[in-house]
Amino acid sequence: MNFKDLLIGWAMEDITPLGPAVLFGQYYDRLAQYIESPLTATACAFERVAENGVKEQAIMVSVDLIWCTALLKTRLKERIKLILADFDVNNLVVNATHTHSAPEPDVTGDYGKMVVEKLADVIAAAWKNRKPATIGSSAGYAVVGHNRRIRYADGSAEMYGSLNRPDFIGIEGTADSAADMIFCWDEAEQLTGIIMNVPCPAQVTEAKYFVSADYWSEVRKQLKQYFNRDVYVLAQCGAAGDISPRDLTRPYATDKPDMWDVPGIVAIGESLLQLVKEAYPEAKKRRQIKPVFKHLVKQIDIPFRKVSEAEYNNALVIVKKIRAREPADPGSPLTAFNRFLSEVKENEKLKQYGPWDNKDSDYGILRLAEIITAQYSHQQKHPYYHMELHVIRLDDVVFASNSFELFVDYGFMIKGRSKAAQTFIVQLSDDYAGYLPTQRALEGGGYSATANPVGPDGGRILVEETISAINSLF
């Protein structure tokens, strides 16, 4: 089958809240005091039409948000159907960078409704902007993410756990320092955009009181300065459910960038800019004029993690015990939540570096226990999580999506068995399905391992389904 040129179109929209914004991602609300950097939605549209009229299509969208829910995706597809008659909405994939410095995109609220409208606009614009293009891929290494689960001698583990304990024995898992990139050029051989995949959530500023796209804002800013013009950046978070942008084993020092504040995002931006500088010449040499382009969409059912009766009963005892101590007045400063919130505020005054919240507080323990009891009730009626998997091949590179905060080892499993030269794992795509921990993490426990709907059994199925889909395209 003979194909015409690959068409690529780019567009970007500002999705920064217009008024007062409550930032989402912690146990407590944070009212934004100002805008540190704008939130954006970037779309990259691909199409190739065979001489016999058969089409291959994809539109990838990246948003500076904590997530894209299934309901948001559904509302978006409904709008796209009305404005793009020649695009199959089933070929749309939306991923989030997982910043905690943006409002929740609740589609029933004003901000969520605005996000849907803006995303529809950016998708339509990218589709209409598609023109003949070439691509070139490359990869490099930049230390951005670090494992954030602390292990103790009794086998337990905790996200952001204390290292200043005699039973601290090490970090639970590894990290992935590789970053994958695809560069896109127009017919005049001018760079138009970069798809950049980094296995680390955009969470340097996760507990601050301002709107921010986190380190991706610096990547965009510094790339613009380097190329002396606007270059689109489609930001993707690789497998990084147990990763954060800070090294917990190194004492914080005043002469180093603060990885809980703006200096940290500037430093990461500089590291990723250097990576682009090194990768760009090689990618340009390997530029593909008519690359292979295929897009596979697959619906898969992944079993929910089975909460045992013993685990449920233990959690129920904890819930009843803490709830029994609660004051009758929910507004009392002595409630578990208000005591937790008071401790956060006090820590913000006393501590220069985070985390400022304490998940070992009564409220943190209660919240985890209530999640477990809710999962137990849910699993009686709903044994499976339904996920939409997208696998997109561009020459010898593939993108594979999932809806989880996927622990990094799953990314390694997929990359290690993929037939592609480069495999971009795109987590937090098209829905939010929670953390997906490994067996080792589940045994260690803690919020990021047990507060999740899917466990290691589901993780193995996700890996096998993803590998099967990837390798079917080669």
Side-chain angles (χ1 to χ4, degrees):
M1 187 182 295
N2 293 320
F3 286 92
K4 300 176 183 178
D5 290 335
L6 176 67
L7 305 179
I8 297 179
W10 290 90
M12 185 173 74
E13 279 281 348
D14 190 321
I15 56 170
T16 308
L18 300 177
V22 175
L23 306 176
F24 194 70
Q26 301 294 347
Y27 283 0
Y28 53 97
D29 290 340
R30 290 164 293 136
L31 183 63
Q33 297 172 355
Y34 61 94
I35 296 170
E36 184 277 326
S37 58
L39 307 177
T40 65
T42 304
C44 186
F46 299 87
E47 186 181 41
R48 171 169 280 162
V49 183
E51 291 183 354
N52 65 359
V54 174
K55 297 179 180 179
E56 200 73 70
Q57 301 177 330
I59 298 180
M60 293 192 288
V61 184
S62 172
V63 292
D64 292 328
L65 296 171
I66 191 168
W67 54 43
C68 168
T69 62
L71 182 56
L72 192 157
K73 177 78 179 292
T74 297
R75 295 283 174 85
L76 185 56
K77 288 169 70 174
E78 291 169 351
R79 291 183 67 88
I80 295 301
K81 281 182 181 178
L82 300 176
I83 57 179
L84 292 181
D86 56 344
F87 174 70
D88 182 351
V89 294
N90 294 313
N91 291 320
L92 174 67
V93 55
V94 182
N95 77 274
T97 63
H98 209 44
T99 179
H100 280 200
S101 299
E104 180 185 11
D106 177 3
V107 296
T108 64
D110 291 341
Y111 180 70
K113 291 175 182 177
M114 184 270 278
V115 166
V116 172
E117 292 177 4
K118 293 279 190 174
L119 292 187
D121 290 343
V122 78
I123 289 166
W127 187 249
K128 291 172 184 176
N129 288 340
R130 64 197 191 284
K131 297 173 183 177
T134 58
I135 65 166
S137 63
S138 188
Y141 295 90
V143 179
V144 177
H146 305 266
N147 196 281
R148 58 179 170 171
R149 283 182 52 85
I150 307 305
R151 199 85 183 189
Y152 301 107
D154 63 356
S156 66
E158 185 56 76
M159 180 170 68
Y160 293 131
S162 172
L163 281 69
N164 189 26
R165 287 171 42 170
D167 59 343
F168 164 59
I169 60 171
I171 304 299
E172 181 180 83
T174 184
D176 185 357
S177 295
D180 293 287
M181 292 159 281
I182 286 185
F183 297 84
C184 304
W185 294 270
D186 61 19
E187 288 183 291
E189 298 189 11
Q190 179 166 282
L191 181 69
T192 55
I194 307 170
I195 303 172
M196 200 164 190
N197 188 288
V198 179
C200 183
Q203 289 180 3
V204 173
T205 62
E206 64 175 281
K208 306 303 285 184
Y209 289 80
F210 49 68
V211 172
S212 176
D214 211 84
Y215 68 78
W216 286 112
S217 67
E218 281 297 320
V219 173
R220 298 180 188 113
K221 184 189 304 181
Q222 294 183 34
L223 282 173
K224 181 177 181 179
Q225 292 172 351
Y226 177 69
F227 287 105
N228 200 29
R229 57 187 170 79
D230 287 320
V231 174
Y232 292 102
V233 179
L234 187 79
Q236 297 176 338
C237 184
D242 47 346
I243 304 299
S244 81
R246 53 190 69 91
D247 184 355
L248 302 181
T249 66
R250 298 287 191 275
Y252 297 117
T254 55
D255 62 335
K256 301 295 182 183
D258 182 355
M259 286 298 167
W260 289 92
D261 210 336
V262 172
I265 69 176
V266 173
I268 291 176
E270 291 170 349
S271 295
L272 294 177
L273 173 63
Q274 184 61 35
L275 200 63
V276 170
K277 290 180 181 179
E278 295 168 359
Y280 183 71
E282 181 63 26
K284 196 167 186 179
K285 286 180 188 175
R286 299 175 54 200
R287 197 158 46 97
Q288 299 296 310
I289 305 301
K290 290 191 176 183
V292 175
F293 172 44
K294 298 179 181 179
H295 185 182
L296 174 64
V297 185
K298 191 174 183 180
Q299 308 296 326
I300 60 175
D301 287 324
I302 302 173
F304 282 120
R305 182 175 77 86
K306 294 294 185 183
V307 175
S308 69
E309 189 169 351
E311 188 179 0
Y312 166 73
N313 287 331
N314 182 60
L316 195 60
V317 167
I318 292 172
V319 171
K320 290 180 178 178
K321 184 177 179 180
I322 295 177
R323 286 294 181 194
R325 298 199 296 262
E326 289 287 86
D329 178 11
S332 167
L334 298 180
T335 66
F337 177 72
N338 285 333
R339 283 186 284 117
F340 164 81
L341 195 59
S342 177
E343 184 179 358
V344 169
K345 298 300 182 185
E346 191 63 25
N347 285 338
E348 287 175 340
K349 296 175 184 176
L350 300 176
K351 295 170 60 178
Q352 181 177 355
Y353 305 106
W356 291 273
D357 63 336
N358 177 15
K359 290 183 172 58
D360 288 330
S361 64
D362 274 357
Y363 179 71
I365 294 168
L366 174 65
R367 184 178 174 120
L368 176 56
E370 289 184 331
I371 288 173
I372 292 171
T373 58
Q375 285 177 199
Y376 182 82
S377 301
H378 185 266
Q379 73 188 23
Q380 311 302 319
K381 298 180 181 179
H382 306 282
Y384 294 98
Y385 171 68
H386 183 75
M387 194 195 86
E388 184 172 281
L389 168 67
H390 289 258
V391 176
I392 299 170
R393 178 182 174 185
L394 286 171
D395 209 61
D396 59 355
V397 171
V398 293
F399 299 86
S401 74
N402 68 81
S403 301
F404 298 94
E405 291 189 64
L406 191 69
F407 274 41
V408 70
D409 278 345
Y410 290 115
F412 288 144
M413 293 178 205
I414 295 168
K415 291 179 179 182
R417 296 170 56 194
S418 168
K419 289 183 178 180
Q422 284 178 255
T423 302
F424 293 55
I425 309 297
V426 191
Q427 71 168 27
L428 293 162
S429 295
D430 301 319
D431 193 14
Y432 180 71
Y435 294 99
L436 208 170
T438 59
Q439 183 63 37
R440 174 174 53 181
L442 187 61
E443 291 168 359
Y447 177 78
S448 58
T450 53
N452 55 73
V454 175
D457 290 343
R460 285 189 287 273
I461 289 175
L462 174 67
V463 168
E464 294 302 326
E465 290 281 3
T466 303
I467 288 296
S468 174
I470 289 172
N471 291 346
S472 73
L473 299 182
F474 286 83

